[in-house]
Amino acid sequence: MNKITFQKARVKNFLSYGNIWQEFIFPEGMSIVQGIDNDSGKSNGAGKSSITEMVPFALFGKTIKNLSQGKIINWYNRAGCKVELYFEVNGDNYCFKRGLK
């Protein structure tokens, strides 16, 4: 059986993430993600759910919620959506890169 280990993801202009590269390291084991939107002080819109959308978008070009391309690109910047997913399969390293104009 193949073992897949997700190592990290990088995103820019993807869903709630803006025009600055953001990097997420995926440690082995269970992780808890908490977030606060600095503009509103609330946890809504902080990008927690967007993290789960990064993996299927990078691999398949689709999100779990089956969002249209226009909704995947950051609503504020409206251009340059990029996602990079780094992972390992049975000791071999891979990087998938996907973007939208």
Side-chain angles (χ1 to χ4, degrees):
M1 179 177 238
N2 293 331
K3 179 183 178 184
I4 300 174
T5 304
F6 294 107
Q7 298 163 325
K8 70 178 178 179
R10 295 181 68 225
V11 296
K12 182 177 181 180
N13 289 321
F14 177 77
L15 297 174
S16 60
Y17 294 100
N19 200 29
I20 298 172
W21 281 104
Q22 300 291 317
E23 184 171 287
F24 301 90
I25 305 296
F26 302 125
E28 285 196 44
M30 187 180 347
S31 298
I32 296 173
V33 178
Q34 295 178 315
I36 297 292
D37 180 346
N38 290 332
D39 294 331
S40 69
K42 299 179 181 179
S43 64
N44 288 350
K48 300 178 302 290
S49 298
S50 298
I51 295 171
T52 63
E53 299 286 7
M54 293 173 194
V55 173
F57 178 75
L59 295 174
F60 309 111
K62 297 181 179 181
T63 61
I64 295 169
K65 296 178 183 176
N66 204 24
L67 298 172
S68 66
Q69 287 186 357
K71 299 219 180 209
I72 293 171
I73 299 170
N74 178 272
W75 64 272
Y76 184 77
N77 297 311
R78 303 236 184 251
C81 171
K82 297 177 184 179
V83 176
E84 299 176 358
L85 179 65
Y86 297 81
F87 59 99
E88 179 183 303
V89 180
N90 296 329
D92 295 323
N93 291 310
Y94 296 92
C95 174
F96 277 26
K97 297 180 180 183
R98 190 173 303 271
L100 297 170
K101 290 185 177 182

